[in-house]
Amino acid sequence: MYLLLRYSASVESRAQFTKQGKLPGNERDGWHGTRRECQLGNEGKTRFCTSITCSLCGIIKTSFDLARGFNGTGFGLGWEILGKALYTSSSSSKSDNYSYNTNWNTPLKAMLLNKVIAGKCYVAEKAEETLTGPPVGYDSARLPQAATVDDLAVYRNDAIRPSYLIMYDGN
Ligand SMILES: [Zn+2]
């Protein structure tokens, strides 16, 4: 959490979001659905698994990691509409599409609620899959509000931290 707070403070010092009635660093909550290989979150199951490809345990243990995402482990990384970034959504039903279990036949699905430092957000007019960072002067990117997709993309590990694990009936 220290790195998130340090990054938040640096973003805040540049743009002073609190003067606009926003949280420091323009912090917001964002949902993230990911791959769960184990039973973490099922009734009585509170231990992380040891699989390096269980993204759920990995993200909770070490937070989101752009570098590890390259291994196909889905540590929050997506090669998606706004390039190589860590994605969250303000819509839990959108993130539900990315939450899945691999090994266990259970109706429960897992989702993470995260703190995200949006800072100054670049609004892309269309998909920009080749982005590897926000345009100069910005801290994050998203598509226009009118679009059905409301993903928020951040491009550095310290701009996001998982806060809560939510278990829900995925049926
Ligand atoms: Zn696991």
Side-chain angles (χ1 to χ4, degrees):
M1 192 55 80
Y2 169 72
L3 291 175
L4 181 88
L5 292 174
R6 191 171 65 179
Y7 177 61
S8 171
S10 86
V11 171
E12 178 64 23
S13 70
R14 277 188 276 114
Q16 302 189 319
F17 292 99
T18 50
K19 286 189 176 170
Q20 306 163 40
K22 298 176 179 176
L23 290 172
N26 196 16
E27 178 186 309
R28 55 186 69 182
D29 291 329
W31 296 99
H32 185 87
T34 191
R35 168 188 175 91
R36 180 174 68 134
E37 291 185 2
C38 62
Q39 296 192 68
L40 183 72
N42 286 1
E43 190 171 351
K45 302 293 184 185
T46 57
R47 290 178 185 272
F48 297 126
C49 70
T50 55
S51 169
I52 60 167
T53 53
C54 180
S55 302
L56 183 68
C57 288
I59 290 169
I60 296 172
K61 282 191 283 190
T62 66
S63 192
F64 294 82
D65 191 333
L66 281 159
R68 294 184 72 173
F70 278 118
N71 300 324
T73 53
F75 268 69
L77 180 75
W79 286 96
E80 296 185 47
I81 47 177
L82 295 170
K84 181 194 156 197
L86 301 164
Y87 287 86
T88 54
S89 176
S90 60
S91 161
S92 57
S93 58
K94 171 74 195 303
S95 296
D96 175 53
N97 296 330
Y98 297 90
S99 170
Y100 64 100
N101 302 314
T102 58
N103 290 337
W104 302 92
N105 186 16
T106 167
L108 281 179
K109 291 175 75 176
M111 198 179 295
L112 294 165
L113 186 60
N114 312 279
K115 292 193 181 306
V116 189
I117 304 302
K120 193 171 177 194
C121 188
Y122 168 70
V123 182
E125 292 301 315
K126 55 179 173 46
E128 297 188 33
E129 294 97 339
T130 57
L131 284 176
T132 55
V136 173
Y138 294 91
D139 306 298
S140 61
R142 67 170 176 79
L143 290 173
Q145 208 72 274
T148 53
V149 178
D150 59 354
D151 289 335
L152 178 71
V154 294
Y155 299 85
R156 44 189 296 163
N157 295 339
D158 56 1
I160 178 170
R161 282 295 178 277
S163 299
Y164 299 99
L165 170 62
I166 285 80
M167 304 303 299
Y168 61 101
D169 189 333
N171 289 330

